[in-house]
């Protein structure tokens, strides 16, 4: 994917829609109670959103939390495929996403029709599909995986069963190396993790020789080769909390550093650099479309909503439920800001 040609445009907040004197945090909390809503947020959201959320987690934790909540409304502060998972698992609930344009480059790389053709060309393969895809692609898949359960799920599939993996070729290649399986890969990439620069990372490591590197498996192999720990966002958080190192280099979206700093205030976290030597280019442009203003508006208006046609939802539910059944059991983690209310 040509990252230079990639410039997603957020939905503008209409002029006058939010009174500039409003206490946004107080209003969000008031509307949340009025709507009997729960606010779920991914670690890549801006700190203010992470702080007001009832639960902050990785993709797997968030889907489990969405399936388990008693709330009437789920305000999902993440990207569209994550909110769609909440709707697939909890169809009776109203699921709102602050900005409906908050997509994902992996989702965009994998149009459902092209994916269906790919599957048709490889009928003997089962499809393990990364959760970062549309509901329509999930509907064409056999098992959904996230970065935190993919390896364990592959290891449950008989060795002689051919597997295709979509849409992230870097995660797929990493899993092939880890499991020793020959995975047929769709060629999508994450526009954020693709931008880390190996040359700049080597320079940074030379400046901080004691600092381990923690990386998300959506990074290309040449970045993962320098990593001391590779894992999902929650797994990276657990690593940096437990590791004795006082300075740690983080090769994933830098908003996650907010939780790291909260858990380990005396440690120093340095975002891995992009080609220009700083890490600001590694912020996810889709996650950044959500804002406190848009969270307030979506709780006020109960729009924009995630709506799925029932046939797609039911077809996508099958591989998602397989994922939940095949995921190693772990207790649902405690919300990062301890505010679980629904
Ligand atoms: P996690 O499941 O590790 O949170 O990853 C989601 C994601 O979109 C990473 O770019
Ligand atoms: Fe998609 Fe990458 Fe953003 Fe994650 S960080 S939501 S994979 S574009």
């Amino acid at each position: 994917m040509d990252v230079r040609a990639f410039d997603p445009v957020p939905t503008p907040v209409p002029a006058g829609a939010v009174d500039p004197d409003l206490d946004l945090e107080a209003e969000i909390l008031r509307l949340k109670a009025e709507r009997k809503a729960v606010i779920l947020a991914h670690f890549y959201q801006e700190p203010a959103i992470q702080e007001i959320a009832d639960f902050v987690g990785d993709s797997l934790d968030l889907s489990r939390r969405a399936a388990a909540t008693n709330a009437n409304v789920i305000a999902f502060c993440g990207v569209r495929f994550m909110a769609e998972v909440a709707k697939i698992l909890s169809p009776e609930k109203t699921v709102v996403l602050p900005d409906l344009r908050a997509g994902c480059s992996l989702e965009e790389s994998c149009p459902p029709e092209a994916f269906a053709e790919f599957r048709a060309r490889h009928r003997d393969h089962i499809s393990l599909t990364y959760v970062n895809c549309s509901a329509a692609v999930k509907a064409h898949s056999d098992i959904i995986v996230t970065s935190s359960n993919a390896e364990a799920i592959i290891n449950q599939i008989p060795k002689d069963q051919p597997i295709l993996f979509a849409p992230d070729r870097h995660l797929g290649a990493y899993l092939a190396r880890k499991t020793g399986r020959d995975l047929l890969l769709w060629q999508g990439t994450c526009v954020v993790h693709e931008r880390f620069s190996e040359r700049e990372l080597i320079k940074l490591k030379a400046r901080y020789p004691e600092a381990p590197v923690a990386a998300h498996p959506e990074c290309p192999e040449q970045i993962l080769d320098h990593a001391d720990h590779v894992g999902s966002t929650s797994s990276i958080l657990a690593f940096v909390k437990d590791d004795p190192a006082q300075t740690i280099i983080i090769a994933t979206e830098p908003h996650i550093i907010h939780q790291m700093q909260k858990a380990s205030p005396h440690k120093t976290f340095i975002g891995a650099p992009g080609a220009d030597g700083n890490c600001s280019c590694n912020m996810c442009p889709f996650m950044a479309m959500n804002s406190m203003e848009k969270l307030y508006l979506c709780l006020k208006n109960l729009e924009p909503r995630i709506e799925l046609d029932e046939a797609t939802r039911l077809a996508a539910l099958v591989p998602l439920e397989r994922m939940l059944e095949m995921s190693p059991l772990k207790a649902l983690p405690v919300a990062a800001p301890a505010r679980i209310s629904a």
Side-chain angles (χ1 to χ4, degrees):
M1 174 171 296
D2 180 355
V3 293
R4 286 157 307 175
F6 205 78
D7 194 13
V9 182
T11 309
V13 174
V18 183
D19 178 348
D21 295 330
L22 210 62
D23 179 343
L24 271 182
E25 187 179 330
E27 276 303 295
I28 289 169
L29 293 174
R30 184 186 65 75
L31 285 166
K32 188 182 79 141
E34 197 175 295
R35 302 289 193 204
K36 294 194 174 30
V38 64
I39 302 173
L40 304 182
H42 189 266
F43 293 123
Y44 296 167
Q45 291 290 281
E46 64 176 57
I49 293 179
Q50 293 189 38
E51 285 300 309
I52 207 157
D54 295 291
F55 180 78
V56 187
D58 73 4
S59 306
L60 180 61
D61 299 332
L62 288 167
S63 46
R64 284 185 164 143
R65 182 62 65 183
T69 181
N70 294 322
N72 293 343
V73 174
I74 299 175
F76 208 110
C77 299
V79 290
R80 198 173 49 236
F81 77 82
M82 297 177 177
E84 281 184 353
V85 168
K87 187 68 184 174
I88 294 166
L89 294 170
S90 294
E92 70 293 350
K93 300 193 195 320
T94 300
V95 179
V96 287
L97 178 65
D99 191 329
L100 209 52
R101 291 190 194 162
C104 169
S105 65
L106 285 167
E107 174 183 342
E108 288 186 17
S109 80
C110 193
E113 308 72 32
F115 182 66
E117 276 170 34
F118 183 60
R119 288 227 58 187
R121 271 185 277 123
H122 303 284
R123 288 190 193 281
D124 55 333
H125 286 60
I126 66 162
S127 168
L128 244 65
T129 311
Y130 191 32
V131 69
N132 297 40
C133 65
S134 63
V137 165
K138 288 184 178 74
H140 289 298
S141 303
D142 294 312
I143 310 173
I144 303 303
V145 298
T146 77
S147 51
S148 57
N149 59 21
E151 187 181 343
I153 289 180
I154 291 174
N155 287 334
Q156 294 171 57
I157 297 172
K159 292 255 182 304
D160 57 349
Q161 169 62 59
I163 301 174
L164 65 81
F165 186 86
D168 186 357
R169 70 183 167 98
H170 295 309
L171 175 60
Y174 167 74
L175 291 166
R177 294 194 294 280
K178 280 286 279 186
T179 61
R181 299 290 286 262
D182 183 19
L183 305 180
L184 179 64
L185 302 180
W186 185 272
Q187 294 298 310
T189 58
C190 162
V191 74
V192 173
H193 291 86
E194 181 117 294
R195 282 180 176 157
F196 292 118
S197 156
E198 185 188 16
R199 194 172 48 101
E200 295 298 326
L201 180 58
I202 290 169
K203 282 197 227 163
L204 191 63
K205 283 179 63 133
R207 226 179 311 145
Y208 300 96
E210 304 301 325
V213 177
H216 197 280
E218 288 173 11
C219 293
E221 184 174 1
Q222 67 271 20
I223 298 294
L224 297 182
D225 281 348
H226 298 282
D228 300 276
H229 178 81
V230 178
S232 72
T233 48
S234 345
S235 143
I236 291 175
L237 277 167
F239 169 78
V240 303
K241 190 160 173 265
D242 295 345
D243 196 84
Q246 290 304 300
T247 302
I248 305 178
I249 297 170
I250 307 300
T252 192
E253 213 273 2
H255 282 109
I256 196 173
I257 292 176
H258 177 64
Q259 294 297 331
M260 298 175 177
Q261 215 68 79
K262 280 178 72 168
S264 311
H266 304 300
K267 292 187 182 178
T268 302
F269 302 102
I270 306 173
D276 63 355
N278 73 55
C279 69
S280 58
C281 60
N282 297 115
M283 290 193 188
C284 175
F286 301 100
M287 293 278 182
M289 288 182 189
N290 296 327
S291 63
M292 289 288 277
E293 282 84 3
K294 290 181 194 171
L295 173 57
Y296 158 73
L297 286 174
C298 80
L299 280 166
K300 181 170 174 239
N301 302 328
L302 291 183
E303 295 283 352
R305 284 182 203 198
I306 299 291
E307 307 282 8
L308 297 171
D309 78 78
E310 189 58 4
T312 304
R313 189 191 74 79
L314 286 173
L317 181 63
V318 174
L320 260 176
E321 284 187 329
R322 281 198 192 114
M323 170 186 90
L324 294 174
E325 280 159 24
M326 295 174 84
S327 296
L329 270 183
K330 85 173 174 167
L332 212 50
V334 176
R339 270 198 197 164
I340 295 180
S341 60

